[in-house]
Amino acid sequence: MRAWIKNRNIFIGLSITVALIFIAAFAPQVAPHDPTEINPMVRLQPPSKEYPFGTDHMGRCILSRIVFGSRISLLVGVVVISGSLLIGIVLGTISGYFGGLADDLIMRLVDGFLAIPSMFLALALAGTLGPGMFNLMMALIAVEWTSYARVVRGSILTVKEQEFVEAARGLGASDLYILVHHIMPNILSPIIVIATLGIGYAILAAAGLSFLGFGVQPPTPEWGSMLDDGRLFMRKAPYIMIFPGLAIMITVLAFNFLGDGLRDELDPRFRKEIPH
Amino acid sequence: MLKKRYIKAVDCMSFRIDRGETFGLVGESGCGKTTAGKLILRLIVLTSVRIVFDGIDITRIKTREMRRLRPRMQMIFQNPDASLDPRMKIEKSIVEPLRLKGGLRRVEIEEKVMDLIDAVGLNPEHARRYPYQMSGGQNQQAVLARALASNPDFIVADEPTSGLDLSVQAQILTLMKELKRDLELTTMFITHDLEVVRQMSDRMAVMYKGKIVEMGETEDIFSHLRHPYAKLLIAPDLQGGCGHHEADINGGNNNSRGCVFYPRCQLAEDVCSKREPEMMEVKRDHQVLCHIF
C-alpha cells in the first residue's frame, strides 16, 4: 500500500478523486449558494467574489451547481463503468476461457449490440425505459458492456495459451483458481485503461442524454447538462461552459492518473524497483 | 467446403517407465516429443490413448480425480521464463503447489519453500524476486523447486536446458541428477540434445513423426543402433555423411500406408512403402520399428 502511495500517478489521481468525493459528500457545506436558486438580477455574471465561477442565464451560481453536480456525474461515471465492467468481465471470461457454443452465442450478441451506433441504442433504450437517472445508467450500461466483454475475451484468449497457465493446470489448479489467480491479474492492465477512459465517456454520454431529456431532469445540476446550457451563450459568457468542462476534464484526468498508476503497480514489470 | 485437416502429432506410441528410472525421449524438432509429454500428464485433449500411472488408468478417471492426482506427476516446461507467472514472486510460485495440495500450515509452508529454494541452489533473497528479475537459469531452478514442492513421483522434463547457456545447462543437469538420486524420482526427459539424453537417461526412445522408431537401454542404443533414422540422428557419419534434416511436419505422410521414414530412408525396400512396420524386439529390451530387422 505504501508503494502505491509513492507512485506519483496514483498519488495525484487518488488525491483528486478523494477531493471530489469529499466535495460531493459535503456539497451543502462547500457550495456558497443554493444551486437551483434562480435570480434574474444576476444572470450571466462573470466570475466575481460573490460568484467565483460566475452565473448562468438564470442567475444560478455556477460553482454551487458544479459542486452539487459532482454528486450525479461521479455517481453516473462510477456506476455505469462498474456495471459495464461486471457484465463485460463475466461474459468475456465465459466466452474467452471456455469457448465453444457459449463463445459463439456471447460474441454474436455483442456483434448485434455493436451493429447499432452506441448513442442511438442508448437513446432508444433510455426512451423505452423512460426518463430518470437510474434508467439513464441502465441504458448506458447496456451499451457499454460490449466493449469490455470484447477486450476481456481477447486478453483471455492471449493469456490462457501461455505456459504458466498450463503449468498451473499441471499443478492441479481448477478453472476458477486459474481464472482468479493467473488470468485476471494478467489481463488487468487493458481493463483498467479502458475503464478509466470509460468514466469520462460515461459522464459525457449521460450529459448528452440528459440534454435530450432522458436523464437527470432540470433544475437538478449535472455537469453535462450545464455544458449544454452554456452552449447558447458560448460567446457572451464562455465561463458557463468552461468551468463544467474543466470539472469533467479534471475528473477524467484523475481517473486516468489513477488507472495508469494502478496498472504500473499491479504489473511488476512496470515497477521502478531494482532487485538487490 | 473447408474440411478440417488433422495431423497425428503422436501415433501408436507404447512404452513403459519403471519406478526410479529416467526415460529419455529424443527426436528432431516437431516430431511430437512435447505433445507426448503433455499427453502423459493429460494436459491436452486425448483422442484414443491409455495411460496407466501407478496402476491407475488416468484416461478413464474424471477431471476432479485427475486434479487430485496431479501433484504426484509434474512437468518442467521448455521455457522457464514463460512457465512462471510474471506477476507472481518466485516464493508465491513455489507456494502454489503446496497450497493446492493442502494439508500444511502456514509456518510449514514457509519452511518447505525455504528448503526447496536451498535444495535447488537459489538464495533466500531470490524468493522475493519476480521472474523478470531473474536469469533463465535461476528461473529454471525456481521451476524445479516448484515441480518438487508437491513431492511428485513422476516428472516430465521437457527440454529443461534448451534455452540456457552451456555452464547453466551443466549446473541444471547436475542438479537434476542429484535430485533424482536423493528423491528417487521417476523422470521422462524430453530433449533433442543427444549428449544430454545419454548423460541423463537409463532407457530411451527415438521419435520420428509422432512414432517411436527405436527404444531400449540408452547405452545399448548408442552402441548398437538399428533404425536408419536413429542412425541418421545419433550417428550421421554412419550414413555416408548424410546430414541431419529438419522434420517435414507439414507434409507429413504419417496418414498414408507404409513406414513414416520410407521417403528418407536409404535402405528402403518395396515393403516399406506398402505396409506399416510393427515394433520388433531385436534383443531383450531393445525394440525397433522397421521392416528390415
Side-chain angles (χ1 to χ4, degrees):
Chain A
M1 194 68 193
R2 198 175 293 169
W4 284 25
I5 302 296
K6 276 185 184 170
N7 183 306
R8 199 177 54 184
N9 284 344
I10 292 187
F11 182 76
I12 297 172
L14 204 62
S15 305
I16 300 173
T17 311
V18 168
L20 284 169
I21 292 169
F22 178 84
I23 289 169
F26 296 99
Q29 285 76 31
V30 176
H33 299 278
D34 180 347
T36 54
E37 188 191 317
I38 296 169
N39 188 353
M41 302 300 289
V42 291
R43 61 192 295 268
L44 299 177
Q45 290 280 309
S48 63
K49 246 183 182 175
E50 175 70 10
Y51 297 102
F53 288 179
T55 57
D56 66 6
H57 60 292
M58 291 188 187
R60 295 173 297 193
C61 172
I62 293 175
L63 173 61
S64 303
R65 288 183 67 74
I66 287 175
V67 167
F68 275 89
S70 65
R71 288 178 161 187
I72 287 165
S73 294
L74 279 180
L75 187 73
V76 168
V78 171
V79 170
V80 167
I81 296 309
S82 306
S84 308
L85 261 182
L86 187 71
I87 300 171
I89 286 175
V90 170
L91 293 183
T93 301
I94 294 170
S95 179
Y97 188 77
F98 296 103
L101 183 66
D103 181 28
D104 287 342
L105 286 174
I106 292 167
M107 281 305 111
R108 293 305 74 78
L109 183 68
V110 168
D111 289 344
F113 272 87
L114 290 176
I116 308 163
S118 59
M119 209 55 197
F120 281 132
L121 187 61
L123 266 173
L125 286 168
T128 311
L129 294 168
M133 203 168 76
F134 179 76
N135 291 345
L136 169 86
M137 291 191 290
M138 290 303 109
L140 287 175
I141 289 172
V143 171
E144 278 288 286
W145 72 269
T146 51
S147 51
Y148 295 97
R150 272 210 172 274
V151 171
V152 170
R153 176 182 177 268
S155 306
I156 286 182
L157 284 178
T158 313
V159 174
K160 80 168 186 178
E161 294 303 326
Q162 294 192 14
E163 227 166 51
F164 65 83
V165 173
E166 202 169 19
R169 195 169 294 123
L171 295 173
S174 63
D175 287 330
L176 185 65
Y177 181 93
I178 290 172
L179 279 168
V180 173
H181 290 88
H182 292 286
I183 290 186
M184 282 304 158
N186 279 286
I187 64 166
L188 265 184
S189 300
I191 294 176
I192 286 175
V193 171
I194 59 163
T196 49
L197 291 172
I199 286 182
Y201 171 80
I203 291 173
L204 292 174
L209 290 175
S210 297
F211 172 66
L212 293 169
F214 293 112
V216 182
Q217 299 301 301
T220 313
E222 195 257 343
W223 293 349
S225 53
M226 286 174 74
L227 271 183
D228 290 322
D229 286 347
R231 214 162 37 90
L232 295 171
F233 307 96
M234 205 161 67
R235 285 174 187 276
K236 201 176 171 193
Y239 44 86
I240 302 180
M241 282 188 87
I242 288 172
F243 290 112
L246 275 175
I248 293 173
M249 193 188 84
I250 289 167
T251 309
V252 173
L253 263 179
F255 281 108
N256 284 358
F257 272 124
L258 196 59
D260 277 359
L262 282 175
R263 186 203 58 200
D264 293 351
E265 282 307 313
L266 292 169
D267 191 338
R269 287 164 295 191
F270 288 110
R271 257 180 235 162
K272 288 169 189 150
E273 65 180 50
I274 299 154
H276 304 290
Chain B
M1 197 166 69
L2 293 171
K3 209 176 164 186
K4 271 188 181 175
R5 287 184 65 217
Y6 293 97
I7 290 174
K8 287 182 182 171
V10 174
D11 188 23
C12 297
M13 275 178 81
S14 178
F15 59 92
R16 63 160 216 286
I17 304 174
D18 296 326
R19 195 182 286 272
E21 180 182 76
T22 297
F23 182 80
L25 193 60
V26 65
E28 55 195 18
S29 300
C31 72
K33 303 185 296 288
T34 300
T35 308
K38 288 181 180 174
L39 266 176
I40 288 171
L41 301 182
R42 248 183 77 171
L43 283 175
I44 46 180
V45 179
L46 311 169
T47 47
S48 62
V49 70
R50 185 164 175 260
I51 303 156
V52 179
F53 172 75
D54 200 15
I56 307 162
D57 184 351
I58 63 164
T59 50
R60 287 174 184 272
I61 60 174
K62 288 182 180 161
T63 312
R64 189 171 287 189
E65 288 172 68
M66 186 63 210
R67 270 212 306 270
R68 276 203 290 269
L69 203 61
R70 285 208 184 279
R72 293 182 60 195
M73 44 209 301
Q74 289 297 304
M75 183 153 186
I76 296 169
F77 289 88
Q78 201 167 353
N79 183 352
D81 301 341
S83 58
L84 291 166
D85 190 332
R87 285 170 187 261
M88 271 190 185
K89 285 186 177 175
I90 297 300
E91 184 179 28
K92 206 175 168 194
S93 284
I94 300 172
V95 164
E96 196 170 41
L98 298 169
R99 287 252 163 83
L100 286 165
K101 197 179 175 189
L104 285 177
R105 284 179 299 146
R106 198 174 167 174
V107 184
E108 290 172 319
I109 288 177
E110 281 170 9
E111 273 175 22
K112 174 121 189 176
V113 169
M114 284 305 141
D115 288 348
L116 285 163
I117 281 174
D118 185 49
V120 297
L122 289 173
N123 299 323
E125 71 191 46
H126 289 132
R128 289 184 294 278
R129 290 190 187 176
Y130 286 98
Y132 81 99
Q133 296 170 322
M134 310 258 281
S135 67
Q138 287 169 336
N139 276 339
Q140 194 61 290
Q141 285 167 290
V143 168
L144 254 174
R146 186 173 63 169
L148 296 171
S150 56
N151 288 330
D153 299 316
F154 175 54
I155 287 184
V156 174
D158 182 13
E159 309 214 24
T161 55
S162 67
L164 309 174
D165 59 47
L166 281 174
S167 61
V168 184
Q169 269 187 30
Q171 190 189 341
I172 296 286
L173 291 176
T174 310
L175 176 65
M176 288 191 73
K177 268 186 165 177
E178 284 171 7
L179 292 170
K180 184 198 170 240
R181 187 191 59 217
D182 298 344
L183 306 172
E184 294 176 350
L185 283 171
T186 307
T187 314
M188 179 167 160
F189 204 95
I190 299 170
T191 181
H192 62 260
D193 188 327
L194 299 163
E195 267 316 301
V196 169
V197 84
R198 191 170 197 174
Q199 191 187 336
M200 297 296 290
S201 60
D202 307 307
R203 286 170 62 249
M204 67 176 278
V206 179
M207 265 187 91
Y208 181 69
K209 284 191 177 173
K211 288 177 188 286
I212 288 180
V213 293
E214 187 157 358
M215 178 165 61
E217 285 180 11
T218 305
E219 274 316 307
D220 192 35
I221 286 192
F222 272 92
S223 51
H224 300 100
L225 283 166
R226 308 282 176 131
H227 195 280
Y229 172 69
K231 284 181 185 172
L232 187 71
L233 185 75
I234 294 171
D237 297 347
L238 298 177
Q239 291 283 308
C242 188
H244 178 84
H245 293 271
E246 276 300 309
D248 177 16
I249 53 167
N250 296 319
N253 68 340
N254 59 357
N255 290 326
S256 64
R257 287 183 302 170
C259 172
V260 282
F261 191 58
Y262 162 72
R264 285 170 62 182
C265 184
Q266 293 183 356
L267 308 172
E269 294 173 359
D270 277 353
V271 65
C272 302
S273 64
K274 289 171 186 152
R275 195 161 52 82
E276 209 174 326
E278 285 177 13
M279 211 63 167
M280 304 262 288
E281 186 133 22
V282 288
K283 66 186 269 198
R284 195 174 169 275
D285 204 16
H286 190 154
Q287 296 163 301
V288 181
L289 188 78
C290 186
H291 285 298
I292 299 164
F293 300 98

